[in-house]
Amino acid sequence: MPGRRKITLKDVAAAAGVSPTAVSRHVNGRIDLPAETAERIDSAIRRLNYRPNARARHLAMGSTRTLGFITTDIGYPFFAAIASAAEEEVAKSGFSLAVFNSRNHVDRELLFLSKIEDGQLDGALFMTNHVDDGTLRDAINHCGKVVVLDEDVPGAKAPRIFVDNEAGGLIATRHLIAQGHRRIAFVSGPEGMTSSCERFSGFRAALGEAGLVVDPDLVCFGVYEEASGSEAFQQLWRGPIHPTAILATADLLAIGILRATRAAKIKTPRELSVIGFDDMLHMDLLDPPLTAVRQSIHELGRRGARVLLDLLAGTADTDVIERVPVELILRGSVAPPKSAVGPARLVKLAAGGEPR
Amino acid sequence: MPGRRKITLKDVAAAAGVSPTAVSRHVNGRIDLPAETAERIDSAIRRLNYRPNARARHLAMGSTRTLGFITTDIGYPFFAAIASAAEEEVAKSGFSLAVFNSRNHVDRELLFLSKIEDGQLDGALFMTNHVDDGTLRDAINHCGKVVVLDEDVPGAKAPRIFVDNEAGGLIATRHLIAQGHRRIAFVSGPEGMTSSCERFSGFRAALGEAGLVVDPDLVCFGVYEEASGSEAFQQLWRGPIHPTAILATADLLAIGILRATRAAKIKTPRELSVIGFDDMLHMDLLDPPLTAVRQSIHELGRRGARVLLDLLAGTADTDVIERVPVELILRGSVAPPKSAVGPARLVKLAAGGEPR
DNA sequence: CTGAAAGCGCTTACAG
DNA sequence: CTGAAAGCGCTTACAG
């Protein structure tokens, strides 16, 4: 057995008695060789156990066939689900997906984004969770080839895939109102963020429809983390009037709220209804099962990847904005307020006489 | 402004009046230049806005500084948590982590593993969820540079990071026995897998300690998926004797069981106690809160990454096997069997007279 | 210490 | 159609 030197294109060419050019073209299917020649090359490849070197290809082709997935933390089920869908989609096109946890730090986001300039990444799916002061926008505009997912980076010249945030806020709030709630709190992420703003618009619109108005004491902006949900609950409970329901604009916030209600011995949904936003895996098994606005997480990842791939192929423009639909998933964390006679009950009375 | 041609090392060298060699060495910190020269280079870099091309470096250096994370599906919280910890660790050393969802298909696992041979990946963290017929073992031995995580690939010459499976099975079963259970079912993944076997050993050992013996009718092997847990429950409930408790060797199985109990109107834990294995995020919020053997998921990812990094650096050998500890997390999904007087109750009676 | 030159292993415009 | 040769943009052994 010969020395264990790495087999290259050249070796194959020599063994098959053709030029490296021919082998390269054949391997990449960019040529139709006479059957006899093709077979000679193939057999040489098999015999030598040749494997094209990806690094050399990358340099020569000016591409690495790897896309980045930049997010706060892949450890969170919501992001992980998006990453999974994105991976599935990019893999179909022969790309790989590299994940980067920014932990919501701008410097890390910038570092990861810069890998596009390096030529280490062909492009990236980008998710952030804080308000941008323009830094992110500039970085994205500078390196290009990124699509912004789920949360906006205002001013960035990049395709965006969002959820229909306003509709989400709207239908969730309508549901609460239909259940008879009047004192509804809004617990959200950072005030300046697009998701917060849009969901808040939906919230306000639904209140308006019912002739209600937003009570500033019942609105809490924070960050998209569990602890922020717990704090919001505590703040609300210290306040002058307790809400009978809370619309949390993230499951993580809802979970924080649920945790805090337990500590405070508040019964959900009897004393407090809670709606989440995202509908992550297994939210139906919580106690109580979480009613939530479902974002089509899979669709978000899949379409984000698709658009990024199209962008790289030049068949998509940087001004596309897609909205994936939302849907309200009814579960046990919402009930009529204990002190109120909700419309549902009124209807029952009207329709069926004595309720039993 | 000059043409938008990509700035290279050469350009910087020319602008600074030094050789490309000097620039390369300076950039990589492999040289101490006279302050004046260094400054000239640095300023040229800034002025030209030079960014070293990663693809060229990769080819020249024979490394891509990217590690693979090959798993069934990053969308599952358990794997996502491991990936997150691994990413954090490899990022410290300037590596990236690319995730690959095998969906538990051997052909995809092989495809991803082959990226190491390609030179596309410097190495990989590998997790599988099916019994290997030798294919995986051969592939791993052929490409090297992989560390096997959580589940064994027998015969592979690769470092392994496992959980103390046997201890996990043991302490979980002991707990059930201490609560008064005698008819305990064992619901697990594939029969031939190391995790299943080792956890089963612990299970059997604990039964043995209590003078009990394994009842084959109460042992269900399947796959590590939710649906498999549901099926196991149904099978158990069709059987001649119902267990009063189930030890599931994965949270996903426990969740499947929980789902099935709801459909069957079986109350947990009153009519059936359930213990899971993994302790994924938010398992404490389930209804009932899941008692589970906690694997140190973070530790698994972190140490796996560490060992892989060491392996690449040549400071770790392929025969290391690390075991991360397990811990039983007591929560609400376990209670004494309703028909039995458990030791806990006996103790109470003995110690405090009339229980109220 | 410093730099000219070869080399990493492909792809592809270009000439025959 | 086919292949010799240049090029991708770095790193690094080697000679001065």
Side-chain angles (χ1 to χ4, degrees), chain A residues 4 6 49 51-56 58-59 61-66 73-77 80-81 83-85 87-88 91-92 94-103 108 112 114-115 117-122 142 226 252 255 258-259 262 280-289, chain B residues 4 6 49 51-56 58-59 61-66 73-77 80-81 83-85 87-88 91-92 94-103 108 112 114-115 117-122 142 226 252 255 258-259 262 280-289:
Chain A
R4 246 33 188 82
K6 199 71 184 145
N49 192 12
R51 312 244 359 173
N53 180 303
R55 287 187 304 260
H58 293 162
L59 177 58
M61 303 184 71
S63 149
T64 202
R65 312 281 299 168
T66 305
D73 188 349
I74 190 75
Y76 285 125
S84 174
E87 194 273 344
E88 192 166 342
K92 282 185 202 160
F95 280 76
S96 304
L97 192 75
V99 309
F100 301 94
N101 292 339
S102 70
R103 269 165 258 134
R108 306 201 85 215
F112 298 147
S114 77
K115 287 173 189 288
E117 279 185 272
D118 282 351
Q120 205 168 139
L121 257 25
D122 284 4
H142 186 250
E226 220 179 285
L252 239 30
I255 285 173
L258 254 24
R259 277 236 165 75
R262 292 188 177 194
M280 307 188 299
L281 202 58
H282 301 139
M283 291 301 109
D284 58 320
L285 291 172
L286 297 192
D287 175 21
Chain B
R4 243 34 187 83
K6 200 69 184 140
N49 193 9
R51 312 248 355 174
N53 180 303
R55 286 187 304 262
H58 293 162
L59 177 58
M61 301 185 71
S63 150
T64 203
R65 311 282 298 171
T66 306
D73 188 349
I74 190 74
Y76 285 124
S84 174
E87 194 273 345
E88 191 166 341
K92 281 184 204 160
F95 280 77
S96 304
L97 192 75
V99 309
F100 300 94
N101 292 339
S102 70
R103 269 165 257 132
R108 307 201 84 216
F112 298 146
S114 77
K115 287 174 187 290
E117 279 184 273
D118 283 350
Q120 204 168 137
L121 256 27
D122 284 3
H142 185 251
E226 218 178 286
L252 239 30
I255 285 173
L258 253 25
R259 278 236 165 73
R262 293 188 178 196
M280 306 188 301
L281 204 57
H282 300 140
M283 291 301 109
D284 58 321
L285 290 172
L286 298 192
D287 177 20

Side-chain angles (χ1 to χ4, degrees), chain B residues 306-342:
Chain B
R306 195 59 259 158
V307 171
L308 179 56
L309 255 10
D310 289 347
L311 187 68
L312 299 182
T315 61
D317 225 352
T318 55
D319 56 5
V320 341
I321 296 194
E322 294 193 13
R323 293 267 178 188
V324 305
V326 294
E327 170 186 14
L328 184 64
I329 306 298
L330 302 178
R331 289 197 280 248
S333 66
V334 171
K338 63 175 181 213
S339 52
V341 175

Side-chain angles (χ1 to χ4, degrees), chain B residues 76-352:
Chain B
Y76 285 124
F78 176 63
F79 300 131
I82 297 174
S84 174
E87 194 273 345
E88 191 166 341
E89 185 68 23
V90 306
K92 281 184 204 160
S93 304
F95 280 77
S96 304
L97 192 75
V99 309
F100 300 94
N101 292 339
S102 70
R103 269 165 257 132
N104 217 18
H105 294 350
V106 208
D107 48 345
R108 307 201 84 216
E109 293 177 321
L110 293 177
L111 172 69
F112 298 146
L113 242 15
S114 77
K115 287 174 187 290
I116 298 175
E117 279 184 273
D118 283 350
Q120 204 168 137
L121 256 27
D122 284 3
L125 256 15
F126 187 82
M127 308 185 69
T128 188
N129 242 328
H130 63 260
V131 179
D132 178 39
D133 61 2
T135 314
L136 246 29
R137 178 200 58 210
D138 294 345
I140 291 174
N141 290 347
H142 185 251
C143 65
K145 308 300 185 191
V146 355
V147 356
V148 169
L149 239 53
D150 193 55
E151 186 66 72
D152 199 17
V153 176
K157 277 172 64 73
R160 299 154 157 74
I161 319 290
F162 295 150
V163 126
D164 194 344
N165 289 307
E166 182 159 358
L170 189 73
I171 59 179
T173 312
R174 276 186 186 153
H175 175 59
L176 258 11
I177 292 171
Q179 291 293 307
H181 293 280
R182 294 295 175 269
R183 293 199 312 278
I184 305 174
F186 181 83
V187 173
S188 188
E191 177 155 16
M193 296 193 75
T194 307
S195 60
S196 287
C197 296
E198 294 182 348
R199 291 167 195 183
F200 184 70
S201 294
F203 172 71
R204 186 175 38 204
L207 290 185
E209 287 173 357
L212 300 171
V213 56
V214 174
D215 177 345
D217 284 334
L218 296 183
V219 175
C220 305
F221 290 102
V223 291
Y224 283 119
E225 288 170 22
E226 218 178 286
S228 192
S230 301
E231 283 158 26
F233 169 83
Q234 282 148 11
Q235 183 184 322
L236 253 14
W237 239 247
R238 277 196 307 269
I241 46 168
H242 292 176
T244 61
I246 301 182
L247 168 58
T249 65
D251 282 354
L252 239 30
L253 291 171
I255 285 173
I257 292 167
L258 253 25
R259 278 236 165 73
T261 58
R262 293 188 178 196
K265 312 265 188 238
I266 303 297
K267 292 223 184 332
T268 48
R270 266 200 78 250
E271 301 174 70
L272 180 69
S273 289
V274 179
I275 291 193
F277 208 112
D278 290 343
D279 196 35
M280 306 188 301
L281 204 57
H282 300 140
M283 291 301 109
D284 58 321
L285 290 172
L286 298 192
D287 177 20
L290 191 65
T291 291
V293 176
R294 173 180 291 170
Q295 305 197 36
S296 182
I297 302 181
H298 191 268
E299 196 64 359
L300 208 54
R302 205 187 59 71
R303 281 164 75 166
R306 195 59 259 158
V307 171
L308 179 56
L309 255 10
D310 289 347
L311 187 68
L312 299 182
T315 61
D317 225 352
T318 55
D319 56 5
V320 341
I321 296 194
E322 294 193 13
R323 293 267 178 188
V324 305
V326 294
E327 170 186 14
L328 184 64
I329 306 298
L330 302 178
R331 289 197 280 248
S333 66
V334 171
K338 63 175 181 213
S339 52
V341 175
R345 177 120 190 271
L346 288 175
V347 168
K348 253 196 182 162
L349 283 170

Side-chain angles (χ1 to χ4, degrees), chain A residues 59, chain B residues 3-16 18-21 23-24 27 41 44-46 48-56:
Chain A
L59 177 58
Chain B
R4 243 34 187 83
R5 193 176 54 81
K6 200 69 184 140
I7 300 298
T8 69
L9 233 205
K10 244 173 162 168
D11 301 318
V12 176
V18 297
S19 71
T21 310
V23 179
S24 169
V27 166
I41 296 179
I45 289 177
R46 277 193 303 271
L48 300 174
N49 193 9
Y50 167 68
R51 312 248 355 174
N53 180 303
R55 286 187 304 262

